[in-house]
Amino acid sequence: MTESSTTTVAPAPTEVQKGWGGQSVPRKEDKRLLQGDGVFVDDVKRHGMGYLHFVRSPYGHAHITRVDVSAAEAVEGVYGTLTGEEVAALTDPFFQMSTAPGANIKDYSLAVGKVRYVGEPVVAVVAETRELARDASELVEVDYEPLPALVDARRAQDADAPVLHDDAGGNLMWHGLYSWGDLDAAFAEADRVVEIPELHFHRFNSTPLECDGALVEFNRGIGQWTIHTNNQFPGFAAIMMGPAMRVGLDKLRFVMQDIGGGFGNKITSHPQLVVCCLLSRKLNRPIQWTEWRTDFHLSMSHGNERWFQDTEVAVKDDGTLLGFRTKALDDAGAWLRYEPLGGVIWAQVTPGMYRWRHIEVDFTQVATNKAPVSPNRGYSRMQHLWFTERVIDIVARELGLDPVEVRKRNYVRADEMPYETPNGCIYDSGDYAAMLDLALELIGWDSIEEKRAEASGRGKLLGVGIGSTLDSGTNNFAQSRMINPELQFSGNNEVATVKLDIFGEIVVTLGTTPQGQGHETTAAQVVADILNCSVDDVHVRAGHDSYWNSHAGFSGTYASQFAVTGLGAVKGATEALAGEIKQLAGAVFGGVPAEQLELADGGVRIKDDPDAFLPFMACGAIVNANNAGLPEDLDVTLNCRYVYRPPFEVPDIERKFGNLTLTYAAQLHVAVVEIDPETGWYELVDYAAVDDCGKRINPQIVEGQVMGATAQAIGAAMHEIYEYDEDGNLLTPNFYDYHVPHALDMPPLATGAIESPSPFTPLGTKGMGEGGGAGIHAICAAIQDATGRAVTDSHNPYQSVWQMLQEAQA
Amino acid sequence: MLLREVEYAKPGSVAEALELLAANDGARALAGGQTLVNVMKARAASPDQLVDLNGLDELRGIELAGDGTLSIGAMTTYTQIAASAEAKARPILGAVCAQIADVQVRNRGTIGGNVCSNDPTNHLPPLMVATGARMTIVGAGGEREVPAEEFFLGVYMTAVGPGELLTRITIPAGRHDGFAAVTLGIDGTCIVNAAASVNGAVRVALGCVDAVPVLVTAESPEAVADAVRAAGLNPPSDVHASSAYRAHLAGVLAERAARQAAGAS
Amino acid sequence: MDVSVTVNGTTYERDVEPRKLLIHFLRDDLDLTGSHVGCDTGNCGACSVIVDGVLVKSCMLLAVQADGASIETVEGLAEGDELTPLQQAFTEHHALQCGYCTPGMLMSATALLRENPSPSEDEIRKALQGNICRCTGYWNIVEAVKAVGK
């Protein structure tokens, strides 16, 4: 381990850095978090609140034949219960995005008639204390008739496979065939066809340290729920909950301040939130729900597990890739909570970073008796990009070519940007070859063979691998119509409000739900640059609250978009405010046009006459409390709300062609592993990560995301897996068996950054944060390099590496 | 995460602790709590009463006798062992204790708790067997000493019977020791471990391969791999390792521990 | 059972069930919500506090075991409104993102620095091994502690 474990290489400023954008401003969020004064959902308390505990299924697949809560309810201090039968009477099944047969499944917030995965909530018990709720839950009697469990998606469509949802008539949840270019011509032109029978991307997720939770209050007088919760996509939760609960969306107020990590895994808690809502109404008291670590592992937001079968790659002898066809088989788990959107979201990055034009993906999604899948950092693109990176390395190996050369030969080139992919997505900007060069320099590529020899002298196998990946950000939700043409979603949006308060205080509200990405800080930087003030003068409200009316249908923090959508909204609102300030000042100064005014020093003044100065305090006071005598046609409020809307069209649904995401950040990672050949044990001894997310508003925050994503990739590649036995029992239901990286597990890290501004966004920024998949790709490649064996699984614990070495010797 | 109801007592003497343990079938001794409390959170076991040993200073401390024998109180923590000047008389003890989990666990976890819980993946049971430790057990019938080889009876089961307490572990002098493990991440749970001691012949105790540590002996470190093969191990399979992989690791780690022991001085 | 604990200099007397974990006692009974719960197997360290000068995970201690003890939690680190050099270093080095692991990290770092005012990088990592972070990858946390150690 070197003395200093991190080095950073960043671009020299291409322009004089003035203003706040581009500065690593210390975070506004930090002070409260450092003092233990953050407000996370479990910190919120209400007098008389009842603590909720879920009775969960012990079976992977079973009929429910009897539920009896009477013994539990008889316990003093137990406030009440909720069963599946009640839920089925009080609510409608959740909206399904899929087409038939997937559309036919009936998803309620508690199991109705059947359980379909171990850990599925069956009954909810509410009591005076946490412990009592837990105790009482053991008195709930549930009788089950176990059924065979289906845990291998490859068997899901066998004739004798257990069927999870009779309403769907089988386990097929969604299917789509994607085909672009001319596959026949490509394969005819190929010098050879590389066949890869099976590649497997494993099931894991990002295990945010804080699990889900809620405190729900019901206001009986107005029929409205206040839902304190750490759900990171309240727009989606509301759309799912409202119709199910048969209430208007304004009856669901979402409130949150600090969230302890999300990574996509806090998007689909709406079933549990519905239970809390129903109970708060039934019992007429606030309901508190804490999801325990084991509950989270058993039931929440596993990442998509995906096989790529019968892959054929058309290549030229010089390593030029012409195209590929593959069958993607996706394991959705027991319910479609955000799926089957995963069936199209990968198409944002169809060709990966490469220039091949002839591509076919036959995509099937099935249900299995495992936890429901929903977005996990890198959602669906990560799986597909891992696939393209494996193809590159396996092709390179088969042709005896250098993986660096094959990448450079096939990367989309900087001079081709903006680049239209075979399915009509537009890669906005980027220079992948330059990123690769920088990463290789950071890792000391020139001395790798020396290091390999030195490691060999110590009896170790050294391997180096490249992982390149894209982080597509700002979704065009019209892509959902490729899943189901009837869906009425398209485009995207985010909202912000910026106002001058009565004493001139600058107050910003966001529509987002940050979980550590520093939105308060970067938003303040953008505002301060436009209003020409200090970031310290900009007060950004912490968290999210529906009552701020600062949200729209797609509000939330997910899918690598804040720097585009959130900051786009902030920019729009602030520019509107700046315009209104000048209008007001112009009127107050007796009719001075806006061009002659400038914002500076906490106010507005006439450029040529600095003594004519109106501080923000005066502006705020005039509009709010002292407005007699203003011109009748002066239409200013100094309270500006802006809805940012990215420029999208509805794609051609039939051809599955069109732009699906606005920005494409890129990541280029290189990993060096040392393997102990006698045991298969290995460690990362060096690592480089290069990131390009366009203009960086706060470089330190960006780098933090790169680091965190890298650490998660290392964990996923080496240790983290949600593995099930044949009965559907999860073998890794807690942090004891599901090993995430700790401080001693991290390699030395060199980071580099390149800025290729996006031509499509208000600030030249690109969303980022989900690029960690590059680490998985790089580690797979490094293991392949060290062992000489093609790596075909994303998960490579010590035993797998040892196995590969055995095979290499055989 | 939430324990069942339990009674709690904190005796001020070993005699009082033994009385409490004998009086109630459902009473369990609480040492460091780094295992027992988690077991109770999961409700995998729910004692009626916890008898907290943390007030028993007489169970703490390390004494080094003139002949190099170490006497370690059962309630001595991993941190205390790793920091102890006396324990340096047998350096492998501190070296192994320092790699258990993390600082917080080491500050509370005890050598007595580690051996009495006898989780097959624990570090110390194999180490006790390899070093020829002797366990002092106290009960209503008095005090007796059980050699480590006879102390570990099954998964979570030791020679400490109902109403009894492990009070002390006595470890003979020696410096030719080794320990090798493959763990789930650095300092993580052991997948396979091996503790070795050389005193003329080689003793290697393997952990994680059976309900209790498996002892093999060999003439020299070079002969250890064969001895492990001859032991006919049939280790458990779980999500971290197959039986075959564990068996393979056992052979490799046993030899490494033995070489380390032979080379140590 | 009656317990008397001193937390960050203030003494509290409460009646608690023996089964109540210290972390829940701090959070639910004393309203000291700075220490967090991140797991249920004693692995994550978000609940780390200092009890009678010793760093422990408060999810593996019963509240009744802390009777008579002096406990330090994150809320007691700063002097009024001013951040300590350690907290200051955390923000300078961007050693926190979501902030959920941060109280535990601060307590572990505090315990380390008391014992070892100039720790090496390896010593820092070893000291933080019991604290899981999912956001930062630990690199910046190590840098922050190193910076205070100089």
Side-chain angles (χ1 to χ4, degrees):
Chain A
M1 198 78 79
T2 56
E3 229 341 276
S4 170
S5 71
T6 55
T7 59
T8 304
V9 169
T14 52
E15 56 192 57
V16 172
Q17 295 277 24
K18 51 182 182 184
W20 300 98
Q23 306 295 327
S24 290
V25 171
R27 297 194 333 163
K28 287 173 170 289
E29 293 88 339
D30 285 356
K31 186 162 184 299
R32 66 179 186 265
L33 295 171
L34 287 165
Q35 293 183 300
D37 287 334
V39 180
F40 297 89
V41 68
D42 201 70
D43 301 340
V44 182
K45 301 171 184 186
R46 289 293 182 267
H47 173 74
M49 65 189 187
Y51 291 87
L52 186 157
H53 189 89
F54 283 107
V55 176
R56 293 174 182 268
S57 170
Y59 291 104
H61 197 194
H63 288 299
I64 301 170
T65 56
R66 183 179 74 99
V67 175
D68 186 344
V69 298
S70 53
E73 293 211 331
V75 175
E76 186 177 326
V78 171
Y79 295 141
T81 62
L82 192 75
T83 65
E85 197 181 307
E86 287 174 88
V87 166
L90 293 168
T91 66
D92 293 324
F94 290 117
F95 175 70
Q96 291 299 324
M97 287 185 278
S98 191
T99 49
N104 298 339
I105 71 180
K106 293 199 179 18
D107 186 7
Y108 289 99
S109 37
L110 289 175
V112 176
K114 217 184 173 196
V115 289
R116 294 173 176 85
Y117 67 97
V118 171
E120 181 165 21
V122 178
V123 171
V125 178
V126 179
E128 195 176 13
T129 69
R130 299 181 193 277
E131 288 84 2
L132 193 50
R134 177 74 181 82
D135 291 343
S137 73
E138 287 177 347
L139 298 175
V140 171
E141 292 169 26
V142 184
D143 291 343
Y144 298 96
E145 250 170 44
L147 297 164
L150 171 69
V151 293
D152 186 342
R154 294 168 295 181
R155 306 275 75 82
Q157 296 191 272
D158 289 356
D160 60 349
V163 172
L164 271 76
H165 302 280
D166 289 329
D167 293 319
N171 296 315
L172 176 68
M173 292 290 105
W174 187 80
H175 173 262
L177 178 65
Y178 298 85
S179 194
W180 305 282
D182 187 341
L183 274 299
D184 291 335
F187 279 90
E189 189 194 331
D191 290 329
R192 68 166 98 181
V193 175
V194 174
E195 293 179 351
I196 308 172
E198 191 174 86
L199 293 167
H200 174 245
F201 193 93
H202 73 292
R203 181 180 267 255
F204 65 94
N205 70 14
S206 305
T207 65
L209 195 60
E210 182 204 31
C211 298
D212 296 81
L215 194 156
V216 178
E217 308 173 79
F218 182 60
N219 182 326
R220 218 160 43 166
I222 60 177
Q224 186 198 54
W225 287 268
T226 299
I227 303 165
H228 303 265
T229 186
N230 47 26
N231 184 298
Q232 68 182 99
F233 194 174
F236 177 75
I239 289 171
M240 297 302 276
M241 291 171 67
M245 290 169 58
R246 305 167 186 156
V247 300
L249 299 201
D250 202 54
K251 297 302 184 193
L252 304 170
R253 173 185 174 192
F254 290 88
V255 181
M256 57 208 67
Q257 189 185 293
D258 297 302
I259 300 180
F263 317 114
N265 299 161
K266 289 187 163 123
I267 290 177
T268 54
S269 58
H270 51 278
Q272 288 84 353
L273 297 180
V274 168
V275 171
C276 293
C277 287
L278 295 176
L279 279 164
S280 65
R281 182 173 63 188
K282 176 181 179 185
L283 305 179
N284 196 29
R285 65 172 66 243
I287 302 295
Q288 200 277 356
W289 167 54
T290 300
E291 180 185 57
W292 303 113
R293 172 59 51 192
T294 302
D295 300 336
F296 175 88
H297 282 225
L298 286 176
S299 69
M300 189 59 72
S301 200
H302 287 191
N304 296 60
E305 182 180 0
R306 192 173 298 169
W307 280 264
F308 298 90
Q309 298 169 310
D310 303 327
T311 300
E312 294 176 320
V313 191
V315 302
K316 308 285 280 176
D317 281 332
D318 68 358
T320 302
L321 309 168
L322 300 174
F324 67 85
R325 54 164 71 97
T326 190
K327 299 194 188 100
L329 175 65
D330 196 270
D331 180 344
W335 293 102
L336 305 178
R337 292 274 154 83
Y338 200 83
E339 296 304 313
L341 287 183
V344 67
I345 283 184
W346 65 268
Q348 298 169 8
V349 291
T350 297
M353 293 163 96
Y354 305 104
R355 306 170 69 239
W356 37 17
R357 304 296 305 177
H358 312 282
I359 293 173
E360 183 174 286
V361 175
D362 189 335
F363 193 103
T364 301
Q365 186 174 69
V366 296
T368 61
N369 293 112
K370 300 180 187 174
V373 146
S374 61
N376 176 51
R377 197 173 198 172
Y379 183 42
S380 196
R381 294 102 80 218
M382 173 169 61
Q383 286 78 349
H384 186 76
L385 289 158
W386 176 81
F387 163 78
T388 62
E389 289 297 293
R390 288 289 77 229
V391 166
I392 297 301
D393 278 337
I394 289 172
V395 165
R397 181 179 168 273
E398 211 150 298
L399 268 52
L401 296 174
D402 177 359
V404 173
E405 291 315 311
V406 175
R407 282 187 171 77
K408 287 204 168 163
R409 180 178 291 281
N410 289 284
Y411 274 157
V412 173
R413 294 193 299 259
D415 60 19
E416 293 175 305
M417 299 291 187
Y419 175 81
E420 186 180 270
T421 71
N423 60 314
C425 289
I426 312 289
Y427 291 178
D428 49 356
S429 63
D431 187 343
Y432 309 147
M435 294 176 77
L436 180 51
D437 285 337
L438 179 55
L440 294 177
E441 190 186 308
L442 289 173
I443 206 72
W445 182 254
D446 291 340
S447 60
I448 281 293
E449 290 314 313
E450 225 175 275
K451 293 184 179 135
R452 200 192 298 273
E454 189 273 329
S456 179
R458 284 182 283 110
K460 296 281 174 73
L461 293 174
L462 186 139
V464 61
I466 298 163
S468 45
T469 206
L470 294 171
D471 185 3
S472 46
T474 304
N475 287 0
N476 176 359
F477 279 97
Q479 63 198 266
S480 63
R481 299 188 194 186
M482 296 187 202
I483 296 294
N484 179 352
E486 310 284 299
L487 292 175
Q488 297 299 306
F489 302 113
S490 73
N492 203 329
N493 52 36
E494 191 48 271
V495 184
T497 73
V498 185
K499 69 172 179 175
L500 285 190
D501 230 341
I502 192 170
F503 291 133
E505 189 187 20
I506 303 164
V507 180
V508 180
T509 67
L510 304 173
T512 55
T513 54
Q515 323 103 32
Q517 298 93 333
H519 290 186
E520 291 162 47
T521 306
T522 52
Q525 290 175 257
V526 170
V527 172
D529 272 344
I530 296 169
L531 299 183
N532 204 9
C533 63
S534 162
V535 283
D536 294 332
D537 295 331
V538 179
H539 169 58
V540 182
R541 288 192 189 161
H544 176 101
D545 189 331
S546 310
Y547 267 11
W548 296 342
N549 197 25
S550 181
H551 65 286
F554 295 119
S555 283
T557 301
Y558 58 95
S560 299
Q561 60 186 28
F562 176 73
V564 175
T565 60
L567 292 183
V570 169
K571 176 173 186 281
T574 313
E575 283 172 346
L577 177 64
E580 287 200 0
I581 291 170
K582 286 181 182 169
Q583 263 191 284
L584 176 67
V588 169
F589 289 145
V592 178
E595 317 81 74
Q596 290 175 23
L597 300 171
E598 64 182 2
L599 301 182
D601 301 326
V604 50
R605 63 173 173 234
I606 299 177
K607 285 181 196 172
D608 298 326
D609 182 9
D611 288 336
F613 176 74
L614 201 62
F616 288 153
M617 184 170 183
C619 301
I622 290 169
V623 163
N624 284 294
N626 192 13
N627 58 27
L630 291 177
E632 238 184 82
D633 60 352
L634 181 66
D635 184 15
V636 299
T637 62
L638 300 190
N639 188 343
C640 301
R641 180 179 188 272
Y642 186 86
V643 181
Y644 168 77
R645 189 181 75 226
F648 283 131
E649 307 292 334
V650 177
D652 180 334
I653 300 305
E654 236 184 85
R655 284 174 60 215
K656 301 189 173 77
F657 187 94
N659 195 16
L660 306 183
T661 21
L662 193 63
T663 66
Y664 289 82
Q667 294 73 35
L668 206 310
H669 291 201
V670 183
V672 183
V673 300
E674 268 188 24
I675 300 175
D676 175 354
E678 284 193 308
T679 60
W681 182 90
Y682 68 100
E683 62 177 335
L684 288 167
V685 294
D686 211 353
Y687 201 101
V690 176
D691 196 273
D692 182 352
C693 59
K695 297 276 310 148
R696 299 170 299 163
I697 301 299
N698 190 316
Q700 194 179 40
I701 287 179
V702 166
E703 193 196 34
Q705 294 298 309
V706 171
M707 291 172 159
T710 298
Q712 288 187 346
I714 291 170
M718 293 181 71
H719 301 295
E720 297 178 46
I721 182 167
Y722 285 126
E723 193 166 314
Y724 286 80
D725 71 12
E726 61 192 14
D727 295 321
N729 293 304
L730 179 63
L731 301 174
T732 51
N734 51 52
F735 275 156
Y736 186 76
D737 284 305
Y738 184 100
H739 179 76
V740 303
H742 293 235
L744 285 169
D745 294 319
M746 308 317 295
L749 174 69
T751 63
I754 289 178
E755 289 189 354
S756 304
S758 175
F760 303 140
T761 64
L763 295 161
T765 55
K766 303 181 186 184
M768 60 83 59
E770 291 183 85
I776 301 176
H777 316 334
I779 292 171
C780 286
I783 293 171
Q784 177 166 315
D785 181 51
T787 62
R789 303 285 300 167
V791 170
T792 57
D793 201 299
S794 54
H795 184 61
N796 293 284
Y798 311 138
Q799 179 173 326
S800 297
V801 173
W802 177 69
Q803 209 103 12
M804 276 181 239
L805 292 171
Q806 301 302 107
E807 287 161 15
Q809 278 168 28
Chain B
M1 182 62 185
L2 301 160
L3 279 55
R4 290 207 182 100
E5 276 180 14
V6 68
E7 280 169 26
Y8 172 85
K10 190 172 181 184
S13 69
V14 171
E16 197 188 328
L18 290 173
E19 254 175 61
L20 288 163
L21 289 169
N24 185 349
D25 266 353
R28 276 285 286 273
L30 173 63
Q34 305 302 284
T35 298
L36 181 55
V37 174
N38 291 328
V39 166
M40 293 174 72
K41 283 176 194 168
R43 302 196 172 196
S46 298
D48 296 330
Q49 181 189 54
L50 289 173
V51 178
D52 188 352
L53 305 180
N54 283 280
L56 303 178
D57 288 336
E58 61 203 279
L59 295 184
R60 296 191 200 281
I62 305 175
E63 281 160 24
L64 177 61
D67 64 353
T69 304
L70 282 166
S71 172
I72 306 178
M75 284 300 288
T76 310
T77 67
Y78 310 140
T79 292
Q80 286 165 344
I81 293 171
S84 155
E86 288 80 10
K88 302 240 177 316
R90 192 119 201 198
I92 197 69
L93 295 171
V96 171
C97 284
Q99 47 182 273
I100 297 177
D102 53 62
V103 172
Q104 293 93 320
V105 168
R106 292 194 288 273
N107 283 345
R108 293 288 302 180
T110 65
I111 185 167
N114 193 297
V115 301
C116 288
S117 61
N118 194 24
D119 184 301
T121 64
N122 281 358
H123 295 66
L124 298 186
L127 190 59
M128 297 299 101
V129 171
T131 56
R134 297 191 304 280
M135 329 300 260
T136 302
I137 301 173
V138 157
E143 188 179 283
R144 68 184 195 286
E145 212 178 51
V146 176
E149 268 176 76
E150 294 163 28
F151 180 80
F152 303 102
L153 302 180
V155 179
Y156 313 138
M157 287 180 357
T158 68
V160 179
E164 296 188 315
L165 270 181
L166 174 74
T167 56
R168 200 168 55 241
I169 298 172
T170 307
I171 302 179
R175 295 187 77 85
H176 296 278
D177 301 315
F179 186 88
V182 170
T183 59
L184 201 54
I186 308 290
D187 286 1
T189 307
C190 294
I191 296 174
V192 174
N193 59 29
S197 193
V198 172
N199 192 1
V202 180
R203 287 165 70 85
V204 181
L206 298 163
C208 312
V209 295
D210 207 330
V212 300
V214 173
L215 179 64
V216 301
T217 54
E219 298 265 303
S220 67
E222 291 71 28
V224 165
D226 281 337
V228 172
R229 256 188 294 276
L233 298 175
N234 187 16
S237 280
D238 63 19
V239 66
H240 303 304
S242 68
S243 177
Y245 183 53
R246 279 206 163 88
H248 168 76
L249 287 181
V252 174
L253 295 174
E255 186 171 330
R256 286 187 184 175
R259 289 189 189 282
Q260 189 192 342
S265 54
Chain C
M1 287 184 73
D2 290 326
V3 293
S4 172
V5 295
T6 302
V7 188
N8 303 325
T10 301
T11 302
Y12 303 86
E13 282 168 12
R14 297 284 189 277
D15 179 16
V16 292
E17 283 189 292
R19 62 162 157 177
K20 175 157 277 193
L21 300 172
L22 179 59
I23 183 62
H24 285 140
F25 178 68
L26 291 170
R27 290 183 52 77
D28 296 341
D29 291 42
L30 302 187
D31 289 326
L32 292 166
T33 56
S35 309
H36 297 144
V37 172
C39 77
D40 47 22
T41 49
N43 289 103
C44 80
C47 64
S48 300
V49 297
I50 296 174
V51 177
D52 288 337
V54 178
L55 182 75
V56 300
K57 292 176 182 174
S58 61
C59 72
M60 292 190 281
L61 220 58
L62 306 175
V64 293
Q65 288 186 282
D67 182 31
S70 179
I71 301 175
E72 296 168 80
T73 70
V74 65
E75 290 97 334
L77 289 179
E79 290 275 326
D81 219 32
E82 245 188 64
L83 297 179
T84 64
L86 177 64
Q87 289 167 322
Q88 201 43 51
F90 263 56
T91 192
E92 269 159 34
H93 291 270
H94 190 37
L96 63 153
Q97 292 181 27
C98 81
Y100 200 73
C101 78
T102 305
M105 287 287 180
L106 287 170
M107 299 318 292
S108 294
T110 297
L112 169 69
L113 291 167
R114 279 181 189 166
E115 204 178 302
N116 183 352
S118 281
S120 70
E121 186 171 316
D122 280 346
E123 286 169 333
I124 294 170
R125 288 180 182 281
K126 187 91 170 171
L128 300 180
Q129 180 69 354
N131 294 81
I132 292 175
C133 174
R134 292 307 264 156
C135 293
T136 69
Y138 309 100
W139 287 284
N140 284 349
I141 299 174
V142 172
E143 291 299 305
V145 179
K146 234 187 342 181
V148 181
K150 293 220 190 312

